Amino acid sequence: MEAELHVLSPLVPGRRVRFLRFCKQHAEGVWAVADISLDLFRDTSSEGFTFSNCRRFPSGCILQNMPTGCCKVTWMEHSEYDESLVPDLYRSFLRSGLGFGAHRWVSTLQRQCQFFSMPSEDPSGIGLSGRRNMLKLAQRMVDDFCSGISTSMGGDWEMLPVGNIGQDIKVMSRRSILNNPNETPAILLSASTSVWMPVSHQLLFNFLRDQRERNEWDILSRGEPMQETLHIAKGQSCENCVSLLRTDVSNLLTLHLLQLTQHSS
């Protein structure tokens, strides 16, 4: 198997790993999934596989059925990487495991399980088909956003040399994919960077997802207050959802704007 691992920042190098995966049932209701990197056994540089800033040692997870009907997950990640390639801003973050470690995989698995456990009833009023299409559109939007920040090594983005900007700003461009109904013919431009904010991450997250505060920072709102017209929950927490926002409909002189947003904690 082959995978690319990224942190949502242009400052942190991505990781590409090739590995073997082995799954085995150890006992009744107990499964083990183990990964081991192929880079430990052979020199891949001769194969054109030169992305070697990380080696993944034996890692994986143990899944155990519990009497409550839940599943206990024990995740282990063991890797070696060149920390000199990581900016000081992100070194403690990667050491904590939140970037590429077990904490990240467990939290992602928790969000996905919460989404699957949501009731099949549709309180949004747009029907199950409309709900499914809105979630697909939101996921495609998130995928495009992530690809413009953390570029895949096999992607179509091209780095652009731009003068008079710092090395912590990445500017890229690519052409839209031909015969792709989800994209119009155009040249796409992406500029991204990472900054440190002197506030807690929860406080900043709550500020950005608050529709009442959106006109304070979102230039697309043109300073107009936003209203939530559709809310689709993606988990038990209200912080995981897809929302459809629009400008204040009470102002008849304003061209109304619709925005689709997704929040994930």
Side-chain angles (χ1 to χ4, degrees):
M1 302 179 70
E2 183 174 325
E4 290 184 10
L5 311 176
H6 296 274
V7 170
L8 280 180
S9 170
L11 306 183
V12 180
R15 300 178 180 180
R16 178 185 289 179
V17 291
R18 285 180 174 177
F19 57 93
L20 296 175
R21 172 163 291 176
F22 179 71
C23 305
K24 182 179 180 180
Q25 184 176 11
H26 276 268
E28 183 66 27
V30 179
W31 287 81
V33 180
D35 297 340
I36 185 168
S37 176
L38 294 176
D39 300 339
L40 300 177
F41 305 107
R42 62 183 180 182
D43 181 13
T44 56
S45 59
S46 60
E47 304 174 13
F49 193 75
T50 59
F51 195 76
S52 57
N53 62 352
C54 171
R55 289 197 303 170
R56 192 164 187 245
F57 291 94
S59 305
C61 63
I62 298 175
L63 311 177
Q64 181 179 359
N65 285 336
M66 304 300 291
T68 58
C70 298
C71 178
K72 179 182 178 181
V73 179
T74 304
W75 205 294
M76 296 152 286
E77 280 292 326
H78 186 198
S79 62
E80 179 184 70
Y81 65 95
D82 186 357
E83 194 175 63
S84 65
L85 301 177
V86 180
D88 294 339
L89 181 64
Y90 277 93
R91 289 188 179 181
S92 61
F93 177 73
L94 295 188
R95 291 172 186 170
S96 69
L98 295 175
F100 296 106
H103 291 290
R104 174 179 176 178
W105 303 120
V106 170
S107 61
T108 301
L109 184 61
Q110 285 177 326
R111 284 197 302 269
Q112 197 67 16
C113 290
Q114 288 180 5
F115 173 68
F116 287 140
S117 64
M118 292 296 294
S120 57
E121 293 82 7
D122 177 45
S124 62
I126 61 174
L128 293 179
S129 177
R131 180 176 182 269
R132 183 167 54 250
N133 290 334
M134 291 293 288
L135 291 175
K136 286 182 178 180
L137 178 60
Q139 185 59 51
R140 195 174 75 216
M141 175 185 67
V142 172
D143 292 342
D144 290 341
F145 170 77
C146 294
S147 68
I149 297 179
S150 302
T151 311
S152 169
M153 275 68 78
D156 299 323
W157 289 97
E158 178 182 356
M159 296 291 295
L160 295 179
V162 180
N164 300 324
I165 64 172
Q167 296 182 352
D168 57 344
I169 300 177
K170 183 168 66 174
V171 181
M172 305 179 298
S173 70
R174 72 171 176 87
R175 293 184 179 274
S176 57
I177 302 175
L178 296 178
N179 301 322
N180 186 346
N182 298 325
E183 291 187 353
T184 56
I187 295 179
L188 307 179
L189 182 66
S190 170
S192 57
T193 187
S194 294
V195 296
W196 180 82
M197 304 292 288
V199 295
S200 69
H201 69 278
Q202 188 64 49
L203 182 63
L204 182 59
F205 177 74
N206 291 337
F207 171 74
L208 293 177
R209 73 183 184 91
D210 190 345
Q211 63 194 31
R212 298 167 299 180
E213 304 285 351
R214 196 172 187 91
N215 59 346
E216 297 291 333
W217 60 270
D218 188 358
I219 191 173
L220 295 178
S221 68
R222 298 189 294 271
E224 294 289 333
M226 305 293 289
Q227 295 179 346
E228 185 181 59
T229 60
L230 179 66
H231 181 93
I232 302 177
K234 294 193 64 179
Q236 299 174 357
S237 172
C238 62
E239 297 178 346
N240 298 324
C241 66
V242 171
S243 300
L244 185 64
L245 307 178
R246 67 178 302 174
T247 50
D248 188 1
V249 296
S250 62
N251 190 348
L252 301 179
L253 301 179
T254 302
L255 180 63
H256 300 310
L257 175 71
L258 291 176
Q259 287 189 357
L260 183 67
T261 66
Q262 176 169 317
H263 310 129
S264 297
S265 62

